[in-house]
Amino acid sequence: MFILTLCLCIGRMLNIRHAYIAPEAWKYKRLWQLLVLFDFVEFMGSTPKVLQTAFTGGVLHFGTFTTNVLNFVEWTAALAGCLFCLVWIKVFKLKYTQLLTVGVASLAAYPVLMYLLIMPGLNIEALYLPVFMRSFGNAIFFTTLTIYLEEAMPFAHFFMGLTMAGIIRNGPIATLCSGLYSLALRHRISDNLGRGLPYDMTGIMSISIRQLYGYTCFVAIGVLIVFLLWDVQPVRSTLKKIPTWNFVGRMIKKKEKKVANS
């Protein structure tokens, strides 16, 4: 259905005068690199949707009211990540690439900590740190990528770029990553059961979840190494000025007058 919908949307975009996302907005060089990075964050964000939920529900048997405590930890971490970006960019004025590296390191810390902590009978307090690190890294990554997007695209296409990232990240990539993790978890549980390991179902599920967190650690650490080696400044160190809404309104009125006169 996604492929069919994509074909219909592309056809509509190419055949109407004012498309919701203009064809010119897809032609920026750095756009596709940013979309790939958005997809990486969504891949890392699929682990709590599948693995963490399976661990807290199937192994620890936490209820909804218990696991909702982790939402407050995520909210606090997201706020801390945004404030960290503000201090990094506006006060210290350091490189954005290094800020992305900090975000990747925080995201990589989550599967590493979860891999070390997974065991039956774990207290919920032990999950505070990995959940905090994941949400902290998400906030840094999304804030910095939005800045990159604003730098790479003019204001007329900036919100189109945000829409592209949102549709791709929350649409096919989110569904695909969650489905792959769910399929992989079911495969690992079946494989471990077939090997005849001397554990009950709770132990088998713990081992399977830990194995998938281990694979995620390899991916996250590999991306972190790339960012550590990629110590360059893709955009300028000073942000370009974002136009005010009054200025945007005057620009639109001028364009409308030119169209009417022509």
Short mmCIF file of all heavy atoms in Angstrom, two decimals, residues 34-35 37-38 41 82 85 89 96 99-100 138-153 158-159 161-163 165-166 169 235 239-240 242:
data_model
loop_
_atom_site.label_atom_id
_atom_site.label_comp_id
_atom_site.label_asym_id
_atom_site.label_seq_id
_atom_site.Cartn_x
_atom_site.Cartn_y
_atom_site.Cartn_z
N LEU A 34 20.55 13.83 5.20
CA LEU A 34 19.81 14.09 6.42
C LEU A 34 18.67 13.09 6.61
O LEU A 34 18.40 12.65 7.73
CB LEU A 34 19.25 15.52 6.40
CG LEU A 34 20.29 16.64 6.41
CD1 LEU A 34 19.63 17.99 6.23
CD2 LEU A 34 21.08 16.62 7.71
N LEU A 35 18.01 12.71 5.52
CA LEU A 35 16.93 11.73 5.62
C LEU A 35 17.46 10.38 6.07
O LEU A 35 16.80 9.66 6.84
CB LEU A 35 16.21 11.60 4.27
CG LEU A 35 15.43 12.83 3.80
CD1 LEU A 35 14.77 12.56 2.45
CD2 LEU A 35 14.38 13.24 4.82
N LEU A 37 20.04 9.96 8.06
CA LEU A 37 20.30 10.10 9.49
C LEU A 37 19.01 10.04 10.29
O LEU A 37 18.96 9.46 11.38
CB LEU A 37 21.04 11.41 9.76
CG LEU A 37 22.47 11.48 9.22
CD1 LEU A 37 23.07 12.85 9.50
CD2 LEU A 37 23.34 10.40 9.85
N PHE A 38 17.95 10.67 9.78
CA PHE A 38 16.64 10.56 10.44
C PHE A 38 16.21 9.09 10.53
O PHE A 38 15.65 8.65 11.54
CB PHE A 38 15.59 11.38 9.69
CG PHE A 38 15.54 12.82 10.10
CD1 PHE A 38 15.94 13.82 9.22
CD2 PHE A 38 15.07 13.19 11.35
CE1 PHE A 38 15.89 15.16 9.59
CE2 PHE A 38 15.02 14.52 11.73
CZ PHE A 38 15.43 15.51 10.85
N VAL A 41 18.01 7.25 13.33
CA VAL A 41 17.44 7.51 14.66
C VAL A 41 16.17 6.70 14.85
O VAL A 41 15.90 6.19 15.94
CB VAL A 41 17.17 9.02 14.83
CG1 VAL A 41 16.55 9.29 16.19
CG2 VAL A 41 18.45 9.81 14.69
N CYS A 82 17.49 19.19 24.82
CA CYS A 82 17.27 20.48 24.14
C CYS A 82 18.07 21.60 24.79
O CYS A 82 18.67 22.44 24.09
CB CYS A 82 15.78 20.81 24.15
SG CYS A 82 14.75 19.69 23.17
N CYS A 85 21.70 21.28 23.75
CA CYS A 85 21.92 21.82 22.41
C CYS A 85 21.99 23.34 22.44
O CYS A 85 22.81 23.95 21.75
CB CYS A 85 20.82 21.37 21.45
SG CYS A 85 20.83 19.62 21.07
N ILE A 89 25.35 25.32 21.25
CA ILE A 89 25.34 26.13 20.02
C ILE A 89 25.43 27.62 20.33
O ILE A 89 26.22 28.34 19.71
CB ILE A 89 24.07 25.82 19.21
CG1 ILE A 89 24.10 24.37 18.72
CG2 ILE A 89 23.93 26.78 18.03
CD1 ILE A 89 22.82 23.93 18.06
N TYR A 96 28.71 21.53 15.04
CA TYR A 96 27.49 20.73 15.04
C TYR A 96 27.82 19.24 14.86
O TYR A 96 27.09 18.39 15.35
CB TYR A 96 26.55 21.18 13.92
CG TYR A 96 26.23 22.65 13.97
CD1 TYR A 96 26.25 23.42 12.82
CD2 TYR A 96 25.91 23.26 15.17
CE1 TYR A 96 25.95 24.77 12.87
CE2 TYR A 96 25.62 24.61 15.24
CZ TYR A 96 25.64 25.37 14.07
OH TYR A 96 25.36 26.69 14.13
N LEU A 99 28.43 17.80 18.09
CA LEU A 99 27.17 17.67 18.82
C LEU A 99 26.42 16.42 18.36
O LEU A 99 25.83 15.70 19.18
CB LEU A 99 26.32 18.92 18.60
CG LEU A 99 24.97 18.97 19.32
CD1 LEU A 99 25.16 18.83 20.82
CD2 LEU A 99 24.23 20.26 18.99
N LEU A 100 26.43 16.16 17.05
CA LEU A 100 25.82 14.92 16.56
C LEU A 100 26.53 13.70 17.13
O LEU A 100 25.89 12.68 17.42
CB LEU A 100 25.88 14.89 15.03
CG LEU A 100 24.79 15.64 14.26
CD1 LEU A 100 25.06 15.57 12.76
CD2 LEU A 100 23.42 15.07 14.57
N ASN A 138 18.14 11.27 21.47
CA ASN A 138 17.12 11.60 20.48
C ASN A 138 16.91 13.09 20.37
O ASN A 138 16.80 13.65 19.27
CB ASN A 138 15.80 10.92 20.84
CG ASN A 138 15.71 9.51 20.29
OD1 ASN A 138 16.35 9.17 19.31
ND2 ASN A 138 14.91 8.68 20.93
N ALA A 139 16.82 13.76 21.52
CA ALA A 139 16.61 15.21 21.51
C ALA A 139 17.77 15.93 20.84
O ALA A 139 17.57 16.85 20.04
CB ALA A 139 16.42 15.70 22.95
N ILE A 140 18.99 15.52 21.14
CA ILE A 140 20.16 16.15 20.53
C ILE A 140 20.16 15.90 19.02
O ILE A 140 20.38 16.82 18.22
CB ILE A 140 21.45 15.60 21.16
CG1 ILE A 140 21.57 16.06 22.60
CG2 ILE A 140 22.68 16.04 20.36
CD1 ILE A 140 22.78 15.49 23.32
N PHE A 141 19.88 14.68 18.62
CA PHE A 141 19.94 14.32 17.20
C PHE A 141 18.89 15.07 16.40
O PHE A 141 19.18 15.66 15.35
CB PHE A 141 19.75 12.81 17.05
CG PHE A 141 20.70 12.19 16.07
CD1 PHE A 141 21.95 11.74 16.47
CD2 PHE A 141 20.36 12.06 14.74
CE1 PHE A 141 22.83 11.17 15.58
CE2 PHE A 141 21.23 11.49 13.84
CZ PHE A 141 22.46 11.05 14.24
N PHE A 142 17.64 15.07 16.88
CA PHE A 142 16.58 15.72 16.12
C PHE A 142 16.76 17.23 16.08
O PHE A 142 16.48 17.87 15.07
CB PHE A 142 15.22 15.36 16.71
CG PHE A 142 14.76 13.97 16.36
CD1 PHE A 142 14.37 13.09 17.34
CD2 PHE A 142 14.74 13.55 15.04
CE1 PHE A 142 13.96 11.81 17.02
CE2 PHE A 142 14.34 12.27 14.72
CZ PHE A 142 13.94 11.40 15.71
N THR A 143 17.21 17.81 17.18
CA THR A 143 17.45 19.26 17.19
C THR A 143 18.55 19.64 16.21
O THR A 143 18.41 20.58 15.42
CB THR A 143 17.83 19.72 18.61
OG1 THR A 143 16.78 19.38 19.52
CG2 THR A 143 18.05 21.22 18.64
N THR A 144 19.64 18.90 16.23
CA THR A 144 20.77 19.21 15.34
C THR A 144 20.42 18.95 13.88
O THR A 144 20.77 19.75 13.00
CB THR A 144 22.00 18.38 15.74
OG1 THR A 144 22.21 18.49 17.15
CG2 THR A 144 23.24 18.88 15.02
N LEU A 145 19.72 17.87 13.59
CA LEU A 145 19.33 17.59 12.21
C LEU A 145 18.36 18.62 11.68
O LEU A 145 18.39 18.96 10.49
CB LEU A 145 18.72 16.19 12.11
CG LEU A 145 19.68 15.01 12.29
CD1 LEU A 145 18.93 13.69 12.13
CD2 LEU A 145 20.83 15.07 11.29
N THR A 146 17.49 19.16 12.55
CA THR A 146 16.59 20.23 12.12
C THR A 146 17.38 21.49 11.77
O THR A 146 17.06 22.20 10.81
CB THR A 146 15.57 20.52 13.22
OG1 THR A 146 14.86 19.32 13.55
CG2 THR A 146 14.57 21.57 12.75
N ILE A 147 18.45 21.76 12.54
CA ILE A 147 19.31 22.90 12.22
C ILE A 147 20.01 22.68 10.89
O ILE A 147 20.10 23.58 10.04
CB ILE A 147 20.33 23.12 13.35
CG1 ILE A 147 19.62 23.55 14.63
CG2 ILE A 147 21.37 24.17 12.94
CD1 ILE A 147 20.53 23.64 15.83
N TYR A 148 20.53 21.47 10.67
CA TYR A 148 21.15 21.15 9.39
C TYR A 148 20.16 21.33 8.24
O TYR A 148 20.50 21.85 7.18
CB TYR A 148 21.64 19.69 9.40
CG TYR A 148 23.02 19.50 9.94
CD1 TYR A 148 23.25 18.72 11.06
CD2 TYR A 148 24.12 20.09 9.33
CE1 TYR A 148 24.52 18.53 11.56
CE2 TYR A 148 25.39 19.90 9.82
CZ TYR A 148 25.59 19.12 10.95
OH TYR A 148 26.85 18.94 11.43
N LEU A 149 18.93 20.90 8.46
CA LEU A 149 17.90 21.00 7.42
C LEU A 149 17.60 22.46 7.11
O LEU A 149 17.44 22.84 5.94
CB LEU A 149 16.63 20.28 7.88
CG LEU A 149 15.59 19.96 6.81
CD1 LEU A 149 16.16 18.99 5.78
CD2 LEU A 149 14.35 19.35 7.47
N GLU A 150 17.54 23.29 8.13
CA GLU A 150 17.28 24.71 7.93
C GLU A 150 18.44 25.38 7.20
O GLU A 150 18.24 26.32 6.42
CB GLU A 150 17.02 25.38 9.29
CG GLU A 150 16.44 26.77 9.20
CD GLU A 150 17.53 27.83 9.08
OE1 GLU A 150 18.65 27.58 9.55
OE2 GLU A 150 17.24 28.90 8.51
N GLU A 151 19.65 24.89 7.45
CA GLU A 151 20.82 25.45 6.77
C GLU A 151 20.90 24.99 5.32
O GLU A 151 21.37 25.72 4.45
CB GLU A 151 22.09 25.03 7.52
CG GLU A 151 22.29 25.74 8.84
CD GLU A 151 22.76 27.17 8.63
OE1 GLU A 151 23.70 27.38 7.85
OE2 GLU A 151 22.15 28.07 9.22
N ALA A 152 20.46 23.77 5.04
CA ALA A 152 20.61 23.20 3.70
C ALA A 152 19.52 23.67 2.74
O ALA A 152 19.72 23.63 1.52
CB ALA A 152 20.60 21.68 3.78
N MET A 153 18.37 24.10 3.26
CA MET A 153 17.24 24.46 2.41
C MET A 153 16.82 25.89 2.68
O MET A 153 16.91 26.36 3.82
CB MET A 153 16.06 23.51 2.66
CG MET A 153 16.39 22.04 2.50
SD MET A 153 14.99 20.95 2.84
CE MET A 153 13.97 21.24 1.39
N PHE A 158 11.83 24.82 3.61
CA PHE A 158 12.24 24.23 4.87
C PHE A 158 11.15 23.34 5.47
O PHE A 158 11.40 22.22 5.89
CB PHE A 158 12.63 25.33 5.86
CG PHE A 158 12.83 24.85 7.27
CD1 PHE A 158 13.84 23.95 7.57
CD2 PHE A 158 12.01 25.29 8.29
CE1 PHE A 158 14.04 23.50 8.87
CE2 PHE A 158 12.19 24.84 9.59
CZ PHE A 158 13.20 23.96 9.87
N PHE A 159 9.91 23.84 5.50
CA PHE A 159 8.83 23.06 6.09
C PHE A 159 8.48 21.85 5.21
O PHE A 159 7.97 20.85 5.72
CB PHE A 159 7.61 23.94 6.31
CG PHE A 159 7.83 24.99 7.37
CD1 PHE A 159 8.12 26.30 7.01
CD2 PHE A 159 7.78 24.67 8.71
CE1 PHE A 159 8.34 27.26 7.97
CE2 PHE A 159 8.01 25.63 9.68
CZ PHE A 159 8.29 26.93 9.32
N GLY A 161 10.85 20.15 3.79
CA GLY A 161 11.87 19.20 4.25
C GLY A 161 11.47 18.53 5.56
O GLY A 161 11.70 17.33 5.74
N LEU A 162 10.89 19.31 6.48
CA LEU A 162 10.42 18.71 7.72
C LEU A 162 9.32 17.67 7.46
O LEU A 162 9.27 16.63 8.12
CB LEU A 162 9.88 19.81 8.65
CG LEU A 162 10.90 20.71 9.33
CD1 LEU A 162 10.19 21.73 10.20
CD2 LEU A 162 11.87 19.90 10.18
N THR A 163 8.46 17.98 6.50
CA THR A 163 7.40 17.04 6.15
C THR A 163 7.98 15.76 5.56
O THR A 163 7.52 14.65 5.89
CB THR A 163 6.42 17.68 5.16
OG1 THR A 163 5.92 18.89 5.71
CG2 THR A 163 5.27 16.76 4.86
N ALA A 165 10.95 14.46 6.15
CA ALA A 165 11.56 13.69 7.24
C ALA A 165 10.50 13.02 8.11
O ALA A 165 10.64 11.86 8.51
CB ALA A 165 12.45 14.60 8.09
N GLY A 166 9.42 13.74 8.39
CA GLY A 166 8.37 13.18 9.22
C GLY A 166 7.64 12.02 8.56
O GLY A 166 7.36 11.00 9.20
N ARG A 169 10.19 9.03 8.23
CA ARG A 169 10.58 8.47 9.53
C ARG A 169 9.41 7.80 10.22
O ARG A 169 9.53 6.68 10.73
CB ARG A 169 11.14 9.59 10.41
CG ARG A 169 11.70 9.12 11.73
CD ARG A 169 12.31 10.28 12.48
NE ARG A 169 11.31 11.26 12.81
CZ ARG A 169 10.56 11.24 13.92
NH1 ARG A 169 10.70 10.24 14.77
NH2 ARG A 169 9.69 12.19 14.18
N VAL A 235 28.29 22.53 7.71
CA VAL A 235 27.64 23.82 7.58
C VAL A 235 28.45 24.85 8.32
O VAL A 235 29.34 24.53 9.10
CB VAL A 235 26.20 23.78 8.13
CG1 VAL A 235 25.34 22.85 7.30
CG2 VAL A 235 26.20 23.36 9.58
N LEU A 239 24.73 30.42 12.39
CA LEU A 239 23.47 30.12 11.74
C LEU A 239 22.99 31.30 10.91
O LEU A 239 23.15 32.46 11.30
CB LEU A 239 22.41 29.77 12.78
CG LEU A 239 22.66 28.53 13.63
CD1 LEU A 239 21.56 28.40 14.67
CD2 LEU A 239 22.71 27.31 12.75
N LYS A 240 22.38 31.00 9.77
CA LYS A 240 21.79 32.07 8.98
C LYS A 240 20.54 32.57 9.68
O LYS A 240 19.88 31.84 10.43
CB LYS A 240 21.47 31.58 7.57
CG LYS A 240 20.40 30.52 7.50
CD LYS A 240 20.18 30.08 6.07
CE LYS A 240 19.08 29.03 5.97
NZ LYS A 240 18.91 28.53 4.60
N ILE A 242 16.88 33.43 10.41
CA ILE A 242 15.56 32.95 9.99
C ILE A 242 14.65 34.16 9.81
O ILE A 242 14.55 35.00 10.71
CB ILE A 242 14.98 31.98 11.03
CG1 ILE A 242 15.91 30.78 11.20
CG2 ILE A 242 13.58 31.52 10.64
CD1 ILE A 242 15.45 29.80 12.25
#
